[in-house]
Amino acid sequence: MVSVCHSNPNSLSSNFVMSFYEDEQGVLWIGTMGGGLNKFDRRQGTFTHYQNDPANSDSLGHNDVNRIAPGRNGILWLGTSGGLDRFDPASETFFHYRHDPANPNSLLTNNIQGLIRDAAGMLWIASYNGGISHFDPDTETFTHFSHD
């Protein structure tokens, strides 16, 4: 079960907007600092708020959503201050990718500052003080590029 904040449905969850994306149906996805992810469906004129719930591992991973990138089949990729999240709006499910110091093939750092999907469907992830990672969503493998 996803954590959905039921604050004012006619408002953003935070005034600190960090990112936004308009999907093919015209729905606006807005990433905020501290307020999580907002969905604005213009047809209904309301917001849905997705936020982190520490007691629910299936909720948004972190409430600072710095970047949003579209994936295949309606998937959204979210670069947060707590790692990379894959969000499926159809099922309202989140999957988290996090840095694991014991695993050199995990995410470089959890603080993601840039995120883009290339023409081949791969993600390029810029992390704070960690370099760049290339992520293949099909194989779920990271390749890292760091200054040495």
Side-chain angles (χ1 to χ4, degrees):
M1 172 66 57
V2 120
S3 178
V4 178
C5 175
H6 296 288
S7 60
N8 184 347
N10 299 310
S11 178
L12 286 169
S13 60
S14 169
N15 284 333
F16 297 101
V17 174
M18 302 296 291
S19 56
F20 56 92
Y21 168 70
E22 182 178 10
D23 69 21
E24 293 177 359
Q25 288 75 39
V27 173
L28 294 177
W29 296 92
I30 305 152
T32 68
M33 182 186 299
L37 179 67
N38 293 256
K39 172 186 173 183
F40 181 66
D41 187 334
R42 292 183 239 198
R43 292 170 291 173
Q44 297 176 4
T46 60
F47 285 88
T48 303
H49 307 131
Y50 300 92
Q51 296 185 326
N52 175 261
D53 176 357
N56 180 358
S57 63
D58 293 327
S59 70
L60 177 65
H62 197 281
N63 284 330
D64 291 348
V65 179
N66 302 323
R67 301 293 178 258
I68 302 170
R72 294 182 185 128
N73 303 318
I75 295 294
L76 294 178
W77 293 96
L78 309 172
T80 76
S81 294
L84 177 67
D85 281 8
R86 181 183 67 218
F87 178 58
D88 182 348
S91 63
E92 293 193 319
T93 56
F94 289 90
F95 184 82
H96 313 292
Y97 299 87
R98 300 295 179 258
H99 172 67
D100 177 357
N103 181 358
N105 297 315
S106 71
L107 192 61
L108 273 172
T109 69
N110 286 331
N111 193 340
I112 297 175
Q113 296 299 308
L115 182 63
I116 191 167
R117 186 176 70 119
D118 66 20
M122 307 298 163
L123 291 175
W124 291 90
I125 304 162
S127 58
Y128 178 78
N129 203 26
I132 295 174
S133 294
H134 178 261
F135 179 70
D136 182 336
D138 294 331
T139 63
E140 296 192 331
T141 56
F142 291 93
T143 304
H144 304 302
F145 303 90
S146 298
H147 173 75
D148 72 25

